[in-house]
Amino acid sequence: MSKMIENLSLEKEERMPDLDIVMKDVMSRMDDIMAFMETLSLIRSSGIMDLLRAILENREDVTRIVVDEASKKVNMNFIRNALSIYTFLSSIDPDVMRNFMKNAGESLTSAKMTKQTDGIGIMKLYSIIKQPGTFEAMRIMLKILSGLAPEEKKK
Amino acid sequence: MKGEKISIMMDGKKYEALDGQTILQVSMQYGFDIPHVCYHPSLGSIETCDTCMVDVNGKIVRACSTPVSNDMNISVTSEKVLNIRKEATQRILHNHELYCTVCDNNNGDCALHNTVDQLGIEVQKYPFEPKPYPVDDSNPFYVYDPNQCILCGRCVEACQDVQVNETLSIDWSRERPRVIWDHDVPINESSCVSCGHCVTVCPVNALMEKTIIGRAGFLTGVEGKTKRKMIDIVKSVEPEITMGPVMAISNIESKLRKSRIKKTKTVCTYCGVGCSFEMWTNGREILKVQPQPESPANGISTCIKGKFGWDFVNSSERITSPLIRDGERFRKATWDEAIDLVVSRLSQIKEKYGGDAIEFIASSKGTNEEAYLMQKLARQVFGTNNVDNSSRFCQAPATTGLWRTVGYGGDAGSIQDIYNADLVIAVGTNTAESHPVLATRVKRAHKLNGQKLIVSDLRKHEMARRADIFLHPKPGTDLVWLSAVTKYIIDQGWENREFIRDRVNGFDDYVKSLKKFTLEFAEEITGIKKETLVKVAEYIRDAKRVSILWAMGVTQHQMGSDTSTAISNLLLVTGNYGRRGTGAYPLRGHNNVQGTSDFGAMNAYFPGYQSVTNDEIRKKFEKAWNCHIPEKPGLDNNTCLEGIMNGKIRAMYVIGEELVETGSDSNFIASQLETLDFLVVEDIFISETAKFADVILPACTSLEKEGTFVNTERRIQRIYRVMDPLPGTRPDWEIIQSIARGMGYDWDYRHPSDIMEEAASLSPIFSGVNYERLEGFKSLQWPVSKDGNDSPFLYEKEFNFPDGKAKFYPLSYTPPLSVDSEFDLHLNNGRVMEHFHEGNETYKSPGIKEIVPGTFLELSPELAEQRGLSTGDEVRVISKWGDARVTVLVTDRVSGNEMYMPMNSSGDSAINRLTSRLMDPTAHTPAYKELPVRIEKISGKRKQSPLPKSNPRNATPNPQVGVLVEEKWKRPDYEELTSG
């Protein structure tokens, strides 16, 4: 006779001895394990772990999309122009660039402070040009402008 | 002519096409990637998006809706059409904010994302403008976000014309149109049945399953305000950087989701329709169920249970350790201890009383391979034919009826045949609730194709309301009207004489047996007017293809086998077998009730319906298994209960069957289980049956194992492991194998495919079945010959009898148990759409529980008035065999003194506390539906309605055909992109 069992609360299983040994060892390092688990949990819950795993697992797709996108004309132009800017910037003596940027900054500030109503006559313009700083700047600008001319004209 | 080969030019090259195909279909066939947003292969052309434009002989037309014709010259990739497609897509983007990288729909299948990407749209021409409507998240399962809705109309088409629930429409008259539910009410106040069709087909993230929101992508779970800022930052730099790089990043993120989201094909484990789909998971978390157009039985269709009813898999109530009876409680045990105990106790019982003292019950929710092993365990290891499954409780009489007349105990054809029939007759089947996806095909054919529908039922349920003729016979009298209509057809000379002469035996004797079934007799017995029966006969006469569906309303009577036979007789008389669109369709109730029987978990049959009484066949199995098998059939899972009472059965091994609550007369069953010497129950929960067990073995769910199921169409489909077994649980086939090995049998199945290989080698109807042929969404309908040819429909050339001819089977009528002065009311019972049986799985879904919290007693308005009862009153229902307490629901679905009680309950409101031990004498199926009762009001405060306000039965749908795109085209702000 097997009467219906309505009491469904279950007794805990008896642990096997070897499991107890393992558990004891684990318990002695509980703080470290917990800290490690928390960090792991954060990495996982923040999605970083999934993201890294996904990138690695799908590297072929990712690479293909990046390459496809990069090889579009508009993006190729962007990359090449970005590289030209890199070449340009890397060829300039940093001291010259530093002075140039410093002066440019000061000039902008000074220009802002000049009253817009002040007129500039021919004589005043001539005296500004004759100032050594201005003359040097104009020399550089003219050099740059001549550099922009078509190759054949340069010859 | 449709289907004829024609040739067309596409981009200067000649291609072959079939007349009737659209340009889009042909172009896709040849690899032209024409964008399309609203078109869906399961919905056809909708014509709302305008993204598929092509140039045909200088005119711009929609590729999705333009049929090909000879000598058509189509430009698919010209600059002109590309620009028009871009314009169409730009218009769509006015209605949809692109934030793909943080969108849960960015899973590679977003039609809009793919179109924008494909067309290389860099800058938005018409800026996105939000619509002035809030998000509707009132439904427990899905959300509608009008701001993301592109008004493609896929959801409307799916709801109106595929599911045919007729709830969704687009209100084109508004300044900013939107999808509305019924006549514009919140989703949860509408007639929406949460079937999920709309969510499945939504091409964007306007309709999303709540389970996937915030979980699909790496960044989609970011808190709302932060996500908004992220979107705004990207939008602010988009004019400079253009959409290209942003799309590239979202494409990468989408690809990365492959590591996060696992998509696994599986098959639903609720009813017998056999819906297959991909299940999207992240670990054990179920993100969504996504049916596919190639799903053979269901296409894109699901019901509320298949789409949203999977919470039970991760329920905390799952058993995760074997349990052993220990006094008045269970204690946890190791698997070894539990298996050892099962082996030693069953061995003792076998030794003391013989193998026939043990009953084995296979689960109709388990796989074919598990059913095969269960019957092999019974026959080979224990030497008994005492093995069965729950088909005994439902469709065994239908199988009997078909065996008597046409030879195979399965549906004559496929669901597609039911769809293609000119006339469908549904007898005793509440199809829209019990087999919702199959019902959609009937509803669609009836709505769009002119299919006629006759419904015979006690209740005016949805199918009855839709029917051209609704018959309401007196309970248990279907055999009479079916036979009377058959006789009338013969009397009028409308029978198919040629078919009868060439293909059926026994006509003369059968005609003689019909003598009593005059229209007058039928009217007297059934209450159906003669004129109505004549009309039914005329409908049958006028239809070229007739299919008859039936279910428990027929089979769960003492006359279940005979009524099923009467159905088949009628089909034979009218020649409605052996042609597409015709035949008999008993609708199977469990996902694998067909397969569990097919694979031999039956007391009288080996796998493939090979009789145990046939010496040659028995010897074949004895040789294969090296054992002795009794020549007599064993006890089935109904009569074995009387076997316990008689002392014949001393032990039982029950897999996954809630015998106590789904068997008839729970009180009797419980009293018998108590007297067993030993009971093993294998289940996922501690069922009411398990509470009587000596050992409970924790099993896996279908999502945690591999195998195959057979649906109602005889379709064998594979299930794949969606997730690892819950720790502590095991697949049934592994457990059965452990017991066999414990008993000293050297079973060594490594994978369910090994089991299928053995079953196929011993069963001619499965000889060509193997796992390779069932890969992915592929399926086979038995019988399957060695070369892999299967049988989508039966009896084209011959019936399954030695001479190839069908048989008429003469019948007589015996009245059912009916009401009397003491038990004056008839109680009908069955399913509701939302729940499955007693609800041990479906009640684990909070959303389902919210919509249908429990069972109820449907009372007609006239009976309620007569007894002074109202909705919410509690009553005690009393039968000769027991009583139950239940809440009243007054409804016109029932009439007169007939009541209805859904079976989704346990405890003191379980229906089978009332049912009897009466059964069909041949099939031994309980007569659940023959139930006279009386009711007594329980005094106390009236409760709320057992069907909450949010239940779709309280709402009124809004039927229309499709999305009414013409209304969109009439809008003053719509500019035509087509020409000519």
Side-chain angles (χ1 to χ4, degrees), chain A residues 91-118:
Chain A
S91 66
I92 298 170
D93 179 346
D95 291 339
V96 173
M97 193 63 176
R98 192 183 310 115
N99 281 336
F100 179 79
M101 295 308 287
K102 184 170 171 268
N103 293 339
E106 285 170 358
S107 300
L108 280 173
T109 310
S110 148
K112 202 178 174 186
M113 287 167 70
T114 308
K115 285 183 183 170
Q116 286 183 358
T117 49
D118 289 355

PDB file of all heavy atoms in Angstrom, chain A residues 91-118:
ATOM      1  N   SER A  91      56.133  65.173 -41.101  1.00  0.00           N
ATOM      2  CA  SER A  91      57.311  65.716 -41.795  1.00  0.00           C
ATOM      3  C   SER A  91      57.735  67.083 -41.250  1.00  0.00           C
ATOM      4  O   SER A  91      58.768  67.626 -41.604  1.00  0.00           O
ATOM      5  CB  SER A  91      57.010  65.816 -43.296  1.00  0.00           C
ATOM      6  OG  SER A  91      55.993  66.781 -43.474  1.00  0.00           O
ATOM      7  N   ILE A  92      56.926  67.677 -40.424  1.00  0.00           N
ATOM      8  CA  ILE A  92      57.229  69.024 -39.921  1.00  0.00           C
ATOM      9  C   ILE A  92      58.068  68.945 -38.641  1.00  0.00           C
ATOM     10  O   ILE A  92      57.801  68.104 -37.773  1.00  0.00           O
ATOM     11  CB  ILE A  92      55.916  69.793 -39.646  1.00  0.00           C
ATOM     12  CG1 ILE A  92      55.128  69.942 -40.953  1.00  0.00           C
ATOM     13  CG2 ILE A  92      56.178  71.158 -39.028  1.00  0.00           C
ATOM     14  CD1 ILE A  92      53.735  70.470 -40.757  1.00  0.00           C
ATOM     15  N   ASP A  93      59.051  69.834 -38.571  1.00  0.00           N
ATOM     16  CA  ASP A  93      59.872  69.934 -37.345  1.00  0.00           C
ATOM     17  C   ASP A  93      58.955  70.380 -36.204  1.00  0.00           C
ATOM     18  O   ASP A  93      58.313  71.438 -36.294  1.00  0.00           O
ATOM     19  CB  ASP A  93      60.989  70.969 -37.580  1.00  0.00           C
ATOM     20  CG  ASP A  93      61.858  71.140 -36.342  1.00  0.00           C
ATOM     21  OD1 ASP A  93      61.448  70.683 -35.272  1.00  0.00           O
ATOM     22  OD2 ASP A  93      62.932  71.761 -36.468  1.00  0.00           O
ATOM     23  N   PRO A  94      58.891  69.604 -35.148  1.00  0.00           N
ATOM     24  CA  PRO A  94      57.954  69.936 -34.066  1.00  0.00           C
ATOM     25  C   PRO A  94      58.186  71.329 -33.477  1.00  0.00           C
ATOM     26  O   PRO A  94      57.226  71.989 -33.065  1.00  0.00           O
ATOM     27  CB  PRO A  94      58.227  68.864 -33.019  1.00  0.00           C
ATOM     28  CG  PRO A  94      58.868  67.750 -33.746  1.00  0.00           C
ATOM     29  CD  PRO A  94      59.605  68.361 -34.893  1.00  0.00           C
ATOM     30  N   ASP A  95      59.478  71.810 -33.473  1.00  0.00           N
ATOM     31  CA  ASP A  95      59.740  73.138 -32.917  1.00  0.00           C
ATOM     32  C   ASP A  95      59.091  74.220 -33.771  1.00  0.00           C
ATOM     33  O   ASP A  95      58.490  75.159 -33.260  1.00  0.00           O
ATOM     34  CB  ASP A  95      61.259  73.376 -32.842  1.00  0.00           C
ATOM     35  CG  ASP A  95      61.874  72.466 -31.766  1.00  0.00           C
ATOM     36  OD1 ASP A  95      61.097  72.020 -30.880  1.00  0.00           O
ATOM     37  OD2 ASP A  95      63.077  72.177 -31.848  1.00  0.00           O
ATOM     38  N   VAL A  96      59.246  74.027 -35.114  1.00  0.00           N
ATOM     39  CA  VAL A  96      58.625  75.005 -36.032  1.00  0.00           C
ATOM     40  C   VAL A  96      57.113  74.986 -35.828  1.00  0.00           C
ATOM     41  O   VAL A  96      56.461  76.022 -35.722  1.00  0.00           O
ATOM     42  CB  VAL A  96      58.970  74.646 -37.490  1.00  0.00           C
ATOM     43  CG1 VAL A  96      58.209  75.544 -38.458  1.00  0.00           C
ATOM     44  CG2 VAL A  96      60.468  74.750 -37.732  1.00  0.00           C
ATOM     45  N   MET A  97      56.569  73.754 -35.760  1.00  0.00           N
ATOM     46  CA  MET A  97      55.118  73.613 -35.598  1.00  0.00           C
ATOM     47  C   MET A  97      54.645  74.243 -34.289  1.00  0.00           C
ATOM     48  O   MET A  97      53.599  74.913 -34.251  1.00  0.00           O
ATOM     49  CB  MET A  97      54.763  72.114 -35.625  1.00  0.00           C
ATOM     50  CG  MET A  97      53.288  71.859 -35.777  1.00  0.00           C
ATOM     51  SD  MET A  97      52.682  72.491 -37.349  1.00  0.00           S
ATOM     52  CE  MET A  97      50.999  71.939 -37.260  1.00  0.00           C
ATOM     53  N   ARG A  98      55.465  73.992 -33.218  1.00  0.00           N
ATOM     54  CA  ARG A  98      55.076  74.530 -31.925  1.00  0.00           C
ATOM     55  C   ARG A  98      55.009  76.059 -31.981  1.00  0.00           C
ATOM     56  O   ARG A  98      54.044  76.678 -31.545  1.00  0.00           O
ATOM     57  CB  ARG A  98      56.061  74.067 -30.840  1.00  0.00           C
ATOM     58  CG  ARG A  98      55.529  74.371 -29.416  1.00  0.00           C
ATOM     59  CD  ARG A  98      56.502  73.994 -28.328  1.00  0.00           C
ATOM     60  NE  ARG A  98      57.021  72.659 -28.439  1.00  0.00           N
ATOM     61  CZ  ARG A  98      58.307  72.363 -28.678  1.00  0.00           C
ATOM     62  NH1 ARG A  98      59.198  73.314 -28.821  1.00  0.00           N
ATOM     63  NH2 ARG A  98      58.705  71.111 -28.770  1.00  0.00           N
ATOM     64  N   ASN A  99      56.092  76.688 -32.561  1.00  0.00           N
ATOM     65  CA  ASN A  99      56.112  78.151 -32.682  1.00  0.00           C
ATOM     66  C   ASN A  99      54.942  78.649 -33.508  1.00  0.00           C
ATOM     67  O   ASN A  99      54.280  79.620 -33.167  1.00  0.00           O
ATOM     68  CB  ASN A  99      57.427  78.599 -33.356  1.00  0.00           C
ATOM     69  CG  ASN A  99      58.551  78.576 -32.329  1.00  0.00           C
ATOM     70  OD1 ASN A  99      58.296  78.669 -31.130  1.00  0.00           O
ATOM     71  ND2 ASN A  99      59.779  78.452 -32.802  1.00  0.00           N
ATOM     72  N   PHE A 100      54.716  77.894 -34.618  1.00  0.00           N
ATOM     73  CA  PHE A 100      53.646  78.299 -35.531  1.00  0.00           C
ATOM     74  C   PHE A 100      52.290  78.283 -34.824  1.00  0.00           C
ATOM     75  O   PHE A 100      51.525  79.246 -34.886  1.00  0.00           O
ATOM     76  CB  PHE A 100      53.629  77.342 -36.729  1.00  0.00           C
ATOM     77  CG  PHE A 100      52.564  77.644 -37.730  1.00  0.00           C
ATOM     78  CD1 PHE A 100      52.719  78.667 -38.664  1.00  0.00           C
ATOM     79  CD2 PHE A 100      51.379  76.919 -37.750  1.00  0.00           C
ATOM     80  CE1 PHE A 100      51.721  78.944 -39.578  1.00  0.00           C
ATOM     81  CE2 PHE A 100      50.381  77.201 -38.655  1.00  0.00           C
ATOM     82  CZ  PHE A 100      50.553  78.222 -39.580  1.00  0.00           C
ATOM     83  N   MET A 101      52.045  77.225 -34.093  1.00  0.00           N
ATOM     84  CA  MET A 101      50.760  77.083 -33.422  1.00  0.00           C
ATOM     85  C   MET A 101      50.625  78.120 -32.296  1.00  0.00           C
ATOM     86  O   MET A 101      49.548  78.673 -32.073  1.00  0.00           O
ATOM     87  CB  MET A 101      50.589  75.665 -32.836  1.00  0.00           C
ATOM     88  CG  MET A 101      50.526  74.544 -33.870  1.00  0.00           C
ATOM     89  SD  MET A 101      49.317  74.792 -35.162  1.00  0.00           S
ATOM     90  CE  MET A 101      47.806  74.494 -34.272  1.00  0.00           C
ATOM     91  N   LYS A 102      51.799  78.374 -31.626  1.00  0.00           N
ATOM     92  CA  LYS A 102      51.787  79.345 -30.526  1.00  0.00           C
ATOM     93  C   LYS A 102      51.459  80.737 -31.071  1.00  0.00           C
ATOM     94  O   LYS A 102      50.569  81.430 -30.576  1.00  0.00           O
ATOM     95  CB  LYS A 102      53.156  79.332 -29.839  1.00  0.00           C
ATOM     96  CG  LYS A 102      53.285  80.204 -28.617  1.00  0.00           C
ATOM     97  CD  LYS A 102      54.600  79.916 -27.896  1.00  0.00           C
ATOM     98  CE  LYS A 102      54.854  80.940 -26.800  1.00  0.00           C
ATOM     99  NZ  LYS A 102      55.647  82.071 -27.287  1.00  0.00           N
ATOM    100  N   ASN A 103      52.182  81.089 -32.140  1.00  0.00           N
ATOM    101  CA  ASN A 103      51.958  82.408 -32.745  1.00  0.00           C
ATOM    102  C   ASN A 103      50.559  82.536 -33.292  1.00  0.00           C
ATOM    103  O   ASN A 103      49.905  83.577 -33.167  1.00  0.00           O
ATOM    104  CB  ASN A 103      52.985  82.657 -33.861  1.00  0.00           C
ATOM    105  CG  ASN A 103      54.393  82.787 -33.274  1.00  0.00           C
ATOM    106  OD1 ASN A 103      54.549  83.079 -32.084  1.00  0.00           O
ATOM    107  ND2 ASN A 103      55.405  82.558 -34.092  1.00  0.00           N
ATOM    108  N   ALA A 104      50.116  81.450 -33.939  1.00  0.00           N
ATOM    109  CA  ALA A 104      48.770  81.483 -34.514  1.00  0.00           C
ATOM    110  C   ALA A 104      47.737  81.731 -33.425  1.00  0.00           C
ATOM    111  O   ALA A 104      46.802  82.518 -33.586  1.00  0.00           O
ATOM    112  CB  ALA A 104      48.476  80.171 -35.227  1.00  0.00           C
ATOM    113  N   GLY A 105      47.946  81.094 -32.301  1.00  0.00           N
ATOM    114  CA  GLY A 105      47.031  81.249 -31.175  1.00  0.00           C
ATOM    115  C   GLY A 105      47.040  82.677 -30.669  1.00  0.00           C
ATOM    116  O   GLY A 105      45.979  83.285 -30.444  1.00  0.00           O
ATOM    117  N   GLU A 106      48.254  83.228 -30.489  1.00  0.00           N
ATOM    118  CA  GLU A 106      48.360  84.610 -29.986  1.00  0.00           C
ATOM    119  C   GLU A 106      47.740  85.589 -30.976  1.00  0.00           C
ATOM    120  O   GLU A 106      47.066  86.544 -30.589  1.00  0.00           O
ATOM    121  CB  GLU A 106      49.834  84.952 -29.738  1.00  0.00           C
ATOM    122  CG  GLU A 106      50.373  84.268 -28.465  1.00  0.00           C
ATOM    123  CD  GLU A 106      51.891  84.399 -28.349  1.00  0.00           C
ATOM    124  OE1 GLU A 106      52.515  84.983 -29.254  1.00  0.00           O
ATOM    125  OE2 GLU A 106      52.423  83.882 -27.346  1.00  0.00           O
ATOM    126  N   SER A 107      48.002  85.349 -32.267  1.00  0.00           N
ATOM    127  CA  SER A 107      47.469  86.252 -33.290  1.00  0.00           C
ATOM    128  C   SER A 107      45.947  86.249 -33.279  1.00  0.00           C
ATOM    129  O   SER A 107      45.307  87.286 -33.410  1.00  0.00           O
ATOM    130  CB  SER A 107      47.969  85.822 -34.674  1.00  0.00           C
ATOM    131  OG  SER A 107      49.364  85.873 -34.696  1.00  0.00           O
ATOM    132  N   LEU A 108      45.375  85.062 -33.127  1.00  0.00           N
ATOM    133  CA  LEU A 108      43.914  84.970 -33.094  1.00  0.00           C
ATOM    134  C   LEU A 108      43.342  85.754 -31.921  1.00  0.00           C
ATOM    135  O   LEU A 108      42.363  86.494 -32.050  1.00  0.00           O
ATOM    136  CB  LEU A 108      43.473  83.495 -32.974  1.00  0.00           C
ATOM    137  CG  LEU A 108      43.484  82.687 -34.267  1.00  0.00           C
ATOM    138  CD1 LEU A 108      43.204  81.225 -33.974  1.00  0.00           C
ATOM    139  CD2 LEU A 108      42.428  83.214 -35.239  1.00  0.00           C
ATOM    140  N   THR A 109      44.031  85.610 -30.754  1.00  0.00           N
ATOM    141  CA  THR A 109      43.576  86.334 -29.563  1.00  0.00           C
ATOM    142  C   THR A 109      43.690  87.831 -29.798  1.00  0.00           C
ATOM    143  O   THR A 109      42.759  88.604 -29.519  1.00  0.00           O
ATOM    144  CB  THR A 109      44.440  85.933 -28.351  1.00  0.00           C
ATOM    145  OG1 THR A 109      44.486  84.511 -28.294  1.00  0.00           O
ATOM    146  CG2 THR A 109      43.862  86.475 -27.064  1.00  0.00           C
ATOM    147  N   SER A 110      44.844  88.248 -30.352  1.00  0.00           N
ATOM    148  CA  SER A 110      45.071  89.677 -30.599  1.00  0.00           C
ATOM    149  C   SER A 110      44.064  90.212 -31.603  1.00  0.00           C
ATOM    150  O   SER A 110      43.518  91.291 -31.454  1.00  0.00           O
ATOM    151  CB  SER A 110      46.528  89.852 -31.046  1.00  0.00           C
ATOM    152  OG  SER A 110      46.648  90.900 -31.928  1.00  0.00           O
ATOM    153  N   ALA A 111      43.814  89.428 -32.634  1.00  0.00           N
ATOM    154  CA  ALA A 111      42.859  89.868 -33.654  1.00  0.00           C
ATOM    155  C   ALA A 111      41.476  90.056 -33.062  1.00  0.00           C
ATOM    156  O   ALA A 111      40.741  90.969 -33.420  1.00  0.00           O
ATOM    157  CB  ALA A 111      42.814  88.830 -34.772  1.00  0.00           C
ATOM    158  N   LYS A 112      41.135  89.177 -32.141  1.00  0.00           N
ATOM    159  CA  LYS A 112      39.818  89.259 -31.515  1.00  0.00           C
ATOM    160  C   LYS A 112      39.681  90.534 -30.697  1.00  0.00           C
ATOM    161  O   LYS A 112      38.606  91.130 -30.601  1.00  0.00           O
ATOM    162  CB  LYS A 112      39.618  88.015 -30.625  1.00  0.00           C
ATOM    163  CG  LYS A 112      38.167  87.699 -30.347  1.00  0.00           C
ATOM    164  CD  LYS A 112      38.038  86.461 -29.533  1.00  0.00           C
ATOM    165  CE  LYS A 112      36.591  86.224 -29.125  1.00  0.00           C
ATOM    166  NZ  LYS A 112      36.494  85.093 -28.221  1.00  0.00           N
ATOM    167  N   MET A 113      40.856  90.952 -30.101  1.00  0.00           N
ATOM    168  CA  MET A 113      40.823  92.125 -29.243  1.00  0.00           C
ATOM    169  C   MET A 113      40.807  93.441 -30.043  1.00  0.00           C
ATOM    170  O   MET A 113      40.433  94.473 -29.540  1.00  0.00           O
ATOM    171  CB  MET A 113      42.041  92.117 -28.287  1.00  0.00           C
ATOM    172  CG  MET A 113      41.875  91.051 -27.176  1.00  0.00           C
ATOM    173  SD  MET A 113      43.387  90.776 -26.308  1.00  0.00           S
ATOM    174  CE  MET A 113      43.551  92.304 -25.431  1.00  0.00           C
ATOM    175  N   THR A 114      41.248  93.385 -31.275  1.00  0.00           N
ATOM    176  CA  THR A 114      41.264  94.588 -32.115  1.00  0.00           C
ATOM    177  C   THR A 114      39.836  95.010 -32.402  1.00  0.00           C
ATOM    178  O   THR A 114      38.999  94.180 -32.729  1.00  0.00           O
ATOM    179  CB  THR A 114      41.975  94.290 -33.456  1.00  0.00           C
ATOM    180  OG1 THR A 114      43.223  93.707 -33.152  1.00  0.00           O
ATOM    181  CG2 THR A 114      42.154  95.551 -34.274  1.00  0.00           C
ATOM    182  N   LYS A 115      39.595  96.320 -32.219  1.00  0.00           N
ATOM    183  CA  LYS A 115      38.226  96.788 -32.460  1.00  0.00           C
ATOM    184  C   LYS A 115      37.888  96.629 -33.937  1.00  0.00           C
ATOM    185  O   LYS A 115      38.674  97.016 -34.793  1.00  0.00           O
ATOM    186  CB  LYS A 115      38.108  98.258 -32.054  1.00  0.00           C
ATOM    187  CG  LYS A 115      38.059  98.443 -30.549  1.00  0.00           C
ATOM    188  CD  LYS A 115      37.875  99.909 -30.231  1.00  0.00           C
ATOM    189  CE  LYS A 115      37.894 100.112 -28.720  1.00  0.00           C
ATOM    190  NZ  LYS A 115      37.952 101.550 -28.381  1.00  0.00           N
ATOM    191  N   GLN A 116      36.728  96.104 -34.184  1.00  0.00           N
ATOM    192  CA  GLN A 116      36.341  95.881 -35.579  1.00  0.00           C
ATOM    193  C   GLN A 116      36.184  97.187 -36.346  1.00  0.00           C
ATOM    194  O   GLN A 116      36.291  97.219 -37.562  1.00  0.00           O
ATOM    195  CB  GLN A 116      35.025  95.110 -35.618  1.00  0.00           C
ATOM    196  CG  GLN A 116      35.225  93.647 -35.238  1.00  0.00           C
ATOM    197  CD  GLN A 116      33.940  92.864 -35.356  1.00  0.00           C
ATOM    198  OE1 GLN A 116      32.900  93.408 -35.680  1.00  0.00           O
ATOM    199  NE2 GLN A 116      34.046  91.577 -35.074  1.00  0.00           N
ATOM    200  N   THR A 117      35.954  98.282 -35.626  1.00  0.00           N
ATOM    201  CA  THR A 117      35.733  99.572 -36.299  1.00  0.00           C
ATOM    202  C   THR A 117      37.038 100.228 -36.738  1.00  0.00           C
ATOM    203  O   THR A 117      37.038 101.131 -37.554  1.00  0.00           O
ATOM    204  CB  THR A 117      34.987 100.530 -35.379  1.00  0.00           C
ATOM    205  OG1 THR A 117      35.644 100.515 -34.114  1.00  0.00           O
ATOM    206  CG2 THR A 117      33.536 100.125 -35.201  1.00  0.00           C
ATOM    207  N   ASP A 118      38.205  99.737 -36.131  1.00  0.00           N
ATOM    208  CA  ASP A 118      39.495 100.327 -36.530  1.00  0.00           C
ATOM    209  C   ASP A 118      39.779 100.024 -37.990  1.00  0.00           C
ATOM    210  O   ASP A 118      39.833  98.874 -38.395  1.00  0.00           O
ATOM    211  CB  ASP A 118      40.642  99.731 -35.687  1.00  0.00           C
ATOM    212  CG  ASP A 118      40.568 100.234 -34.245  1.00  0.00           C
ATOM    213  OD1 ASP A 118      39.705 101.096 -33.975  1.00  0.00           O
ATOM    214  OD2 ASP A 118      41.340  99.741 -33.420  1.00  0.00           O
TER     215      ASP A 118
END
